[in-house]
Amino acid sequence: MNTDRYVIAYKNYFLDFYEKQPETVQKKIEWTLKLIEVTPQIPKKYFKHLEGTKGLYEIRVEVAGSIFRIFSFFDKGNLVVLGNAFQKKTQKTPKEELEKALKIMKEYQEEFNEAKSRIPKKK
């Protein structure tokens, strides 16, 4: 099977949430992440850019009427990095969850840029 994207979790932000979920929710999350890896054009029902943000995406998971969201962003084009996740209980995305996701994305980018700056330049 050809993989178009790779999905990774950054630190424990997503994993802490995932481990607290019942098995049915975990299985649906895994199914959705696999869909993101192998589907060239992901339906917006599962993966959508968040308007008003620079590069933040929302992975959408629904299980038996419960709605879950996983914030993510891209690195190097085909690498999807998972940030924080939450169970959505209102129509609007909670402001604190969105702010946390933007903070995680910034933290990742700063960490990556710092690591990259330590790589010796070729002469």
Side-chain angles (χ1 to χ4, degrees):
M1 187 184 296
N2 183 20
T3 302
D4 295 300
R5 289 174 208 87
Y6 298 94
V7 177
I8 63 164
Y10 175 59
K11 295 192 175 175
N12 279 345
Y13 297 112
F14 164 73
L15 296 172
D16 288 346
F17 171 82
Y18 172 84
E19 288 169 2
K20 291 177 190 159
Q21 302 311 310
E23 189 179 343
T24 53
V25 174
Q26 288 182 356
K27 283 189 183 318
K28 185 67 182 265
I29 289 172
E30 290 167 21
W31 180 89
T32 307
L33 296 178
K34 181 53 75 182
L35 178 85
I36 289 166
E37 286 184 330
V38 301
T39 307
Q41 283 290 101
I42 308 160
K44 280 190 176 178
K45 175 182 179 184
Y46 300 108
F47 190 67
K48 171 184 161 193
H49 179 257
L50 283 171
E51 290 179 27
T53 69
K54 193 174 178 185
L56 193 62
Y57 288 78
E58 179 179 71
I59 297 169
R60 307 157 76 110
V61 178
E62 191 171 338
V63 181
S66 295
I67 298 168
F68 302 88
R69 297 291 186 252
I70 306 162
F71 288 117
S72 62
F73 49 92
F74 282 93
D75 185 12
K76 295 199 187 303
N78 68 343
L79 182 63
V80 178
V81 182
L82 305 178
N84 56 318
F86 66 100
Q87 182 172 356
K88 195 168 178 183
K89 296 181 179 182
T90 61
Q91 205 54 31
K92 220 167 151 44
T93 298
K95 189 178 181 208
E96 62 274 9
E97 292 292 346
L98 183 59
E99 287 171 354
K100 184 177 179 182
L102 292 167
K103 187 175 161 233
I104 290 167
M105 183 168 70
K106 185 174 189 264
E107 179 186 329
Y108 175 90
Q109 290 166 340
E110 286 173 355
E111 197 172 293
F112 178 76
N113 287 335
E114 183 186 324
K116 208 165 67 172
S117 71
R118 284 190 248 139
I119 298 170
K121 304 272 187 260
K122 290 182 182 176
K123 291 184 179 183

